[in-house]
Amino acid sequence: MRFERVRLRNFKCYEDAELTLRSGVTVVHGVNGSGKSSLLEACFFALYGARAVEGTLDEVISNGAEEMTVELWFTHDDGRFHVEREVKLRGGTAKTTTCELETPAETVGGVTDVEARVASLLRMDAEAFVNCAYVRQGEVNKLINASPGERQDMIDELLQLGRLEEYRERASDARVGVGRVRDDKQGALSQVEAQIETKEEKDLHDRLNGLRSELESVEADIEEKEANREEAQRTLDAAEDVLEEYDRRREEIADLEAEIEELVETIADAEDERERLGERIGSLRETAEGLREELEETVAETELEAADEDAVEARLAELDEEAEGLRDDIEARRLEAREHDDDAEGERERAAELREAAETAREEAAELETAVEDGREELADRRATLAELDEKVETLEATLADAPVDRESVETHRESVEAELTEATERVAALRAELKNARETVREAEALLEAGRCPECGQPVEESPHVETLDDDRERVAELESDLESAEERVAELETKRDRAVELVEAAAELERLEERREDVASLVDQRAATLEEKADRAETLRAEADDHEADAEEAVEAAEAAEAAAAEAREAVGELNREKAALDDRRERLEDVADLLDELAETEAELERLRERRDDRAELNDERRDRLAEKRQRVADLEEEFDESAVEQAREDKERAEAYLDDVEPYLAEQRETRDDLQASVGAVERELEELEGLRERRAELRETVDRLESLYDEAHDLQRTYADLRAELRRRNVETLEAMLNETFRLVYQNDSYARIELDGDYELTVYQKDGTPLEPEQLSGGERALFNLSLRCAIYRLLAEGIDGTAPMPPLILDEPTVFLDAGHVSKLVELVESMTDHGVDQILVVSHDEELVGAADDLVAVRKDPTTNRSSVERSATVEAPS
């Protein structure tokens, strides 16, 4: 496996960074706190998500950001992969919103599925990744400091031996489970055999034959008694038919006698009613005569000549028409009064509104006049400020007029002077250094001459031809001193010129600011003056409007008084019309009395006619009733002659005998049926027991077969459990031997001295270091640097074992070392370099190292620099020039 590219956005101290990773040894370097380790943590986070974060998810999001993204491209087992994770803050809590792994065959989505696929690809989860391929900062001694048991669990998990222990435990659980099931089935078999024995002792077949014989006898008796019961029932039905016919005729005679009695009473009642109707007819004749007399008197009080119904209706119609006209006039005058009242009320309300508007206008005018006075004072202040700005602008313009360049070029002039000053300063520094060297040469030459030696070659003066060069050096010193003095004077001159240029730049900037402010103040003064003029005009307009409103209010009051007078006149007219209508109503009421008397007289005469007809009808009905009475009396006589008393008596005797037999036979049949049902139930119970016995025998055969199979399966599970344990022990022995050999090979490579002879790793992963004299040491007894190298050797040996495998090579993730030199002195760092180089020799395709150590930087195939901007506190990465590997 090889990391190809990683991209970060808002991950910890990285705002936006991308880095391509190559094969070989890549060293990520930078000052402490620059974010080197965060770069590798991002790769770890891309693979394993939250399990790769020591804190919470929101801690990996950059300060001030709401979301974070990490993408990692890598190759594995000849396939190309891309994993992306996005985390967003929602409600103060960080949530993973995107998690996708693109594989050569498909795209896997979701945190759980992606992490499961990564663990499957690398054959290790996040913890195993840290224990094998990723040596995090501060965890160099993790394997050494772990207890043997913890170390055993770590290494077994990395070497997949934990799977065998898991399989052994599963086989043990299966064996125990099979044993429980076998015991349960054996118990069930014992219970079934006991049940079979109990049922066989009951002699069920003989019991079944006896019950069936007894059942046949009872069923024959029931059949005979039911036949006799049906015959008795037929006799009873015939007797009841005769008696019912007798009772029916007696009921008919009784009904006829009741009807005869009722007819006699009805005829008598009808005769009584005829007498009452005669009396009522006489009374109505007297009432009709009284109504005619009252009608004549009432007609005399009206305008009618005679009591004619058509004339009454015609006159009532005329009066109704006159009343309708009066009602219309009354309503019209009422509406007129109401309209005048509404007009008066509206005018008075309008007068109040106008007075209120006048008062509001005066108040607003007063406020505007006050604002105008205040504004004029403020305007005077602003004009004074404008005058001051004009003076300052003139002063600055005069200053810039004396400048050696125009106003637009002052910044360019300053930069030019700064450049000249920088060049002159560098010239002074160079001259000082050259002068220092020249003086040092002269002093050394003078010392040699004083000692009698040549200042050029150090030979005795008498043998050297170069003594005269000392004078040249002295002249050179004098020239340099003169040049330095001139250069320093030039620097002082340029500094003064630079200060003047800075003053000009500041003056130009101040002038621009003052001009802008003057323009703003002038614009504000013009606007303010225009606004004050508008307010003054508005105040004058408002006072004129107030006077207009007062005049309109007086007119509205006068209009309201006129409307109120018109309303009073209309109400007086309504009173006069109401008096006319009352007189008209009296005349109409007398006409209505005449109409009522005519109607009542007509109704009385109609009632007289109806009563005469009703009296005649009652006489005809009584004649018909007397005919029906004679017919019913004849029918009663005919029915009494048809009765046969001897047949009725015989029917009564037959009925009594049949009822007595039926009363006796029903309880007997019920008892026999109950006996039959009990026998049938007993027969069914015995048959079911026989079926159960047969089922128990089949169940016993099945259970015996199952118990035999479970016994065999139990033995197989026990053998499988022992096989997994033996295989785990053998694989651990082989892994321990290989790991021990690789550990010693690696440790000898990085620690070549005479102190230690070898390292021993026993079957429980207990580590012991042996000195040359055979004295054993615990790893904790080594020095800090030795422990770090020891642990790195162990990590690399485990990595090699996993990479080379037991049955052949296996793809492994990059070897990642985060600040591995933290516990190493300078001497041990070189050993670490050799360890890293040895891993590449053993075929490790990619090694990523985070370090600020220069020796490790020099050993890199690829160099990545991490820098942090102190102003933004954000880190960036860039690839340095490729470092050639040492030969």
Side-chain angles (χ1 to χ4, degrees):
M1 177 185 184
R2 181 168 65 82
F3 293 165
E4 291 190 329
R5 182 159 54 103
V6 61
R7 179 186 295 163
L8 317 177
R9 186 168 63 83
N10 296 329
F11 182 86
K12 290 193 172 181
C13 57
Y14 290 94
E15 181 177 11
D16 194 359
E18 183 171 345
L19 176 65
T20 300
L21 297 169
R22 301 167 180 168
S23 298
V25 179
T26 298
V27 175
V28 181
H29 73 99
V31 299
N32 289 335
S34 59
K36 304 185 298 297
S37 298
S38 297
L39 198 59
L40 299 183
E41 288 174 4
C43 299
F44 188 28
F45 175 79
L47 292 173
Y48 293 102
R51 292 181 174 84
V53 179
E54 294 184 357
T56 58
L57 274 179
D58 54 355
E59 295 177 7
V60 303
I61 302 178
S62 300
N63 292 333
E66 296 292 329
E67 60 184 22
M68 175 275 292
T69 303
V70 174
E71 295 181 77
L72 177 66
W73 288 262
F74 62 92
T75 59
H76 179 77
D77 201 13
D78 297 329
R80 300 179 67 85
F81 298 82
H82 170 223
V83 61
E84 178 183 3
R85 290 180 186 268
E86 181 183 62
V87 178
K88 292 184 180 179
L89 285 174
R90 291 180 176 174
T93 303
K95 301 287 187 182
T96 299
T97 55
T98 300
C99 184
E100 288 188 351
L101 172 65
E102 296 179 10
T103 73
E106 61 178 340
T107 297
V108 181
V111 173
T112 302
D113 292 342
V114 168
E115 292 176 5
R117 178 61 64 87
V118 169
S120 174
L121 286 172
L122 303 185
R123 299 187 303 177
M124 59 182 71
D125 57 13
E127 183 178 0
F129 188 88
V130 171
N131 290 332
C132 172
Y134 185 14
V135 182
R136 292 198 288 194
Q137 184 174 350
E139 295 184 359
V140 172
N141 295 324
K142 182 177 180 180
L143 280 175
I144 292 180
N145 295 335
S147 66
E150 293 172 341
R151 190 181 305 119
Q152 175 180 319
D153 291 341
M154 291 180 190
I155 299 176
D156 278 359
E157 184 64 27
L158 289 171
L159 298 175
Q160 307 294 312
L161 296 183
R163 296 278 182 91
L164 293 176
E165 178 61 19
E166 181 183 346
Y167 295 157
R168 188 194 65 78
E169 291 176 355
R170 289 182 184 176
S172 176
D173 293 341
R175 179 180 60 82
V176 173
V178 169
R180 290 198 189 100
V181 175
R182 178 200 60 191
D183 294 341
D184 290 343
K185 296 298 182 182
Q186 185 64 55
L189 177 59
S190 300
Q191 291 178 0
V192 169
E193 289 176 341
Q195 292 173 1
I196 290 173
E197 184 178 354
T198 300
K199 290 187 180 295
E200 288 177 344
E201 291 174 354
K202 292 182 179 180
D203 197 11
L204 295 174
H205 288 287
D206 292 341
R207 281 184 58 197
L208 181 61
N209 292 333
L211 288 170
R212 284 176 174 168
S213 176
E214 186 177 355
L215 177 61
E216 290 175 359
S217 176
V218 170
E219 287 177 341
D221 183 54
I222 290 173
E223 185 178 354
E224 180 184 354
K225 293 299 187 290
E226 286 179 344
N228 294 338
R229 183 193 60 184
E230 292 175 359
E231 180 62 28
Q233 185 64 46
R234 285 194 292 273
T235 301
L236 176 61
D237 293 341
E240 287 178 345
D241 290 342
V242 173
L243 293 174
E244 284 176 3
E245 179 64 20
Y246 173 73
D247 292 338
R248 187 187 63 75
R249 290 183 179 180
R250 293 303 307 169
E251 288 175 3
E252 185 178 355
I253 291 173
D255 293 340
L256 288 171
E257 290 176 346
E259 291 174 1
I260 289 170
E261 183 177 356
E262 182 180 356
L263 279 172
V264 170
E265 292 177 356
T266 301
I267 292 171
D269 292 339
E271 290 299 324
D272 292 340
E273 184 181 1
R274 289 184 72 244
E275 291 179 5
R276 288 194 299 274
L277 287 171
E279 294 174 356
R280 176 63 178 156
I281 289 170
S283 175
L284 285 174
R285 288 195 188 103
E286 293 176 358
T287 299
E289 187 62 30
L291 287 172
R292 291 189 186 92
E293 293 175 358
E294 184 178 358
L295 180 60
E296 290 177 0
E297 294 174 358
T298 304
V299 169
E301 296 175 357
T302 65
E303 303 169 0
L304 298 173
E305 296 178 358
D308 181 78
E309 185 174 351
D310 294 336
V312 171
E313 289 179 359
R315 185 55 184 159
L316 282 173
E318 292 173 359
L319 292 177
D320 287 341
E321 186 175 351
E322 291 179 20
E324 184 65 26
L326 287 173
R327 281 194 293 271
D328 292 342
D329 293 342
I330 291 170
E331 185 62 26
R333 297 299 282 177
R334 282 178 179 165
L335 288 174
E336 183 182 350
R338 190 178 300 116
E339 288 174 357
H340 288 311
D341 287 337
D342 292 343
D343 291 343
E345 183 178 359
E347 290 297 327
R348 291 195 181 278
E349 288 178 355
R350 190 168 74 87
E353 291 173 357
L354 288 168
R355 288 193 178 102
E356 184 178 355
E359 184 63 26
T360 301
R362 289 191 184 97
E363 290 175 357
E364 186 178 352
E367 291 175 358
L368 288 171
E369 289 165 352
T370 302
V372 168
E373 290 299 323
D374 295 340
R376 284 172 179 161
E377 294 177 2
E378 182 183 354
L379 186 60
D381 294 339
R382 292 188 182 277
R383 284 174 174 154
T385 301
L386 185 60
E388 293 174 2
L389 291 172
D390 288 338
E391 291 177 2
K392 291 180 181 179
V393 168
E394 290 175 1
T395 302
L396 290 173
E397 286 176 343
T399 300
L400 290 172
D402 297 334
V405 295
D406 57 21
R407 175 179 172 182
E408 288 75 16
S409 304
V410 292
E411 179 63 28
T412 305
H413 173 64
R414 183 192 64 77
E415 291 174 354
S416 174
V417 173
E418 288 280 2
E420 290 181 27
L421 178 59
T422 300
E423 183 179 351
T425 304
E426 292 174 351
R427 170 69 175 157
V428 168
L431 288 171
R432 284 175 178 167
E434 190 175 354
L435 178 59
K436 180 180 178 182
N437 292 333
R439 285 173 176 168
E440 186 66 28
T441 301
V442 169
R443 279 195 298 271
E444 291 176 356
E446 288 174 345
L448 287 171
L449 281 175
E450 187 177 349
R453 296 186 178 276
C454 175
E456 288 291 317
C457 60
Q459 299 296 321
V461 173
E462 61 273 11
E463 298 176 4
S464 174
H466 305 295
V467 176
E468 64 274 9
T469 59
L470 178 58
D471 294 333
D472 295 336
D473 291 338
R474 287 176 179 149
E475 290 177 3
R476 178 60 181 161
V477 168
E479 291 175 2
L480 288 173
E481 287 175 345
S482 177
D483 291 344
L484 178 59
E485 183 178 358
S486 300
E488 287 176 341
E489 290 175 356
R490 177 60 177 165
V491 167
E493 179 185 343
L494 287 173
E495 285 178 345
T496 302
K497 190 176 180 181
R498 188 265 317 272
D499 294 341
R500 174 59 178 162
V502 170
E503 290 175 358
L504 291 174
V505 170
E506 293 174 351
E510 179 66 12
L511 176 59
E512 184 178 358
R513 185 185 66 80
L514 289 175
E515 286 175 342
E516 290 178 358
R517 187 180 176 201
R518 181 180 62 181
E519 184 179 352
D520 293 341
V521 172
S523 174
L524 187 59
V525 166
D526 294 340
Q527 293 176 2
R528 196 66 173 167
T531 302
L532 290 175
E533 189 65 28
E534 291 175 359
K535 288 184 177 180
D537 294 342
R538 176 61 179 162
E540 184 177 352
T541 301
L542 287 171
R543 290 198 177 277
E545 290 178 357
D547 294 340
D548 293 341
H549 290 330
E550 285 290 350
D552 292 342
E554 292 297 330
E555 293 177 1
V557 169
E558 293 174 359
E561 292 174 351
E564 289 170 349
E569 182 181 350
R571 281 192 288 272
E572 185 177 349
V574 168
E576 181 62 29
L577 290 170
N578 280 329
R579 286 190 290 274
E580 291 181 13
K581 185 175 180 301
L584 185 65
D585 291 340
D586 289 340
R587 292 160 59 194
R588 191 179 190 287
E589 184 178 352
R590 287 192 293 271
L591 287 172
E592 287 176 347
D593 290 341
V594 171
D596 292 341
L597 287 171
L598 286 171
D599 292 340
E600 187 176 356
L601 179 60
E603 290 176 0
T604 301
E605 291 176 344
E607 179 66 11
L608 275 171
E609 184 62 26
R610 187 181 64 78
L611 290 176
R612 291 190 187 100
E613 292 176 356
R614 184 175 178 186
R615 186 180 179 205
D616 294 339
D617 291 341
R618 293 297 180 270
E620 293 178 1
L621 286 173
N622 266 356
D623 293 338
E624 294 174 0
R625 291 181 184 125
R626 290 187 181 95
D627 293 339
R628 290 202 304 275
L629 180 60
E631 292 174 357
K632 290 181 181 298
R633 285 172 175 165
Q634 182 59 42
R635 175 60 179 164
V636 168
D638 294 340
L639 288 172
E640 288 178 347
E641 292 178 357
E642 293 177 359
F643 290 150
D644 184 357
E645 290 297 339
S646 60
V648 172
E649 187 61 29
Q650 182 62 44
R652 289 194 181 101
E653 293 176 359
D654 292 343
K655 180 183 177 188
E656 289 177 1
R657 285 195 300 271
E659 287 176 343
Y661 181 78
L662 290 173
D663 291 341
D664 293 339
V665 79
E666 282 301 334
Y668 179 79
L669 282 173
E671 182 179 351
Q672 287 295 85
R673 289 191 189 101
E674 185 176 353
T675 301
R676 178 192 61 190
D677 293 342
D678 292 341
L679 288 170
Q680 288 175 342
S682 298
V683 168
V686 173
E687 289 175 343
R688 283 192 298 275
E689 281 201 79
L690 285 170
E691 292 175 359
E692 290 173 2
L693 177 60
E694 186 61 29
L696 287 170
R697 288 170 178 159
E698 294 175 359
R699 175 66 174 158
R700 177 178 59 186
E702 292 174 359
L703 286 172
R704 282 175 178 169
E705 183 180 353
T706 300
V707 169
D708 293 341
R709 286 200 309 271
L710 289 172
E711 283 286 356
S712 175
L713 187 58
Y714 181 85
D715 295 338
E716 291 175 4
H718 186 269
D719 294 341
L720 184 60
Q721 179 184 354
R722 187 166 53 250
T723 299
Y724 280 133
D726 294 343
L727 179 58
R728 182 170 180 265
E730 174 62 20
L731 288 176
R732 178 182 289 174
R733 183 190 63 76
R734 292 168 58 189
N735 286 331
V736 167
E737 291 177 357
T738 306
L739 185 58
E740 184 182 36
M742 290 181 175
L743 175 58
N744 277 283
E745 177 186 346
T746 305
F747 191 69
R748 281 194 298 271
L749 173 68
V750 300
Y751 203 80
Q752 298 173 356
N753 62 23
D754 297 331
S755 299
Y756 306 111
R758 63 187 177 85
I759 300 172
E760 182 182 272
L761 179 67
D762 64 15
D764 294 326
Y765 296 100
E766 187 75 56
L767 289 163
T768 306
V769 181
Y770 286 91
Q771 300 184 83
K772 291 292 186 179
D773 59 3
T775 303
L777 293 176
E778 296 294 330
E780 292 82 0
Q781 295 177 273
L782 301 176
S783 68
E786 289 172 338
R787 281 200 308 274
L789 285 176
F790 182 88
N791 184 71
L792 287 170
S793 299
L794 179 57
R795 289 288 191 107
C796 291
I798 293 173
Y799 187 95
R800 282 182 55 196
L801 180 61
L802 289 174
E804 296 175 9
I806 302 299
D807 299 322
T809 59
M812 288 287 290
L815 180 59
I816 303 173
L817 305 177
D818 189 357
E819 294 289 4
T821 64
V822 68
F823 296 111
L824 302 180
D825 54 24
H828 288 112
V829 170
S830 61
K831 301 298 184 182
L832 176 60
V833 173
E834 294 178 10
L835 176 60
V836 171
E837 291 174 349
S838 72
M839 293 301 291
T840 59
D841 294 339
H842 286 296
V844 179
D845 182 53
Q846 189 177 48
I847 300 177
L848 305 177
V849 183
V850 167
S851 179
H852 57 273
D853 192 281
E854 292 300 328
E855 190 168 354
L856 274 178
V857 170
D861 298 319
D862 199 17
L863 197 58
V864 174
V866 177
R867 294 181 176 84
K868 179 175 284 189
D869 187 340
T871 60
T872 63
N873 207 30
R874 291 289 183 265
S875 298
S876 61
V877 296
E878 61 181 19
R879 176 166 277 100
S880 302
T882 304
V883 179
E884 294 296 333
S887 59

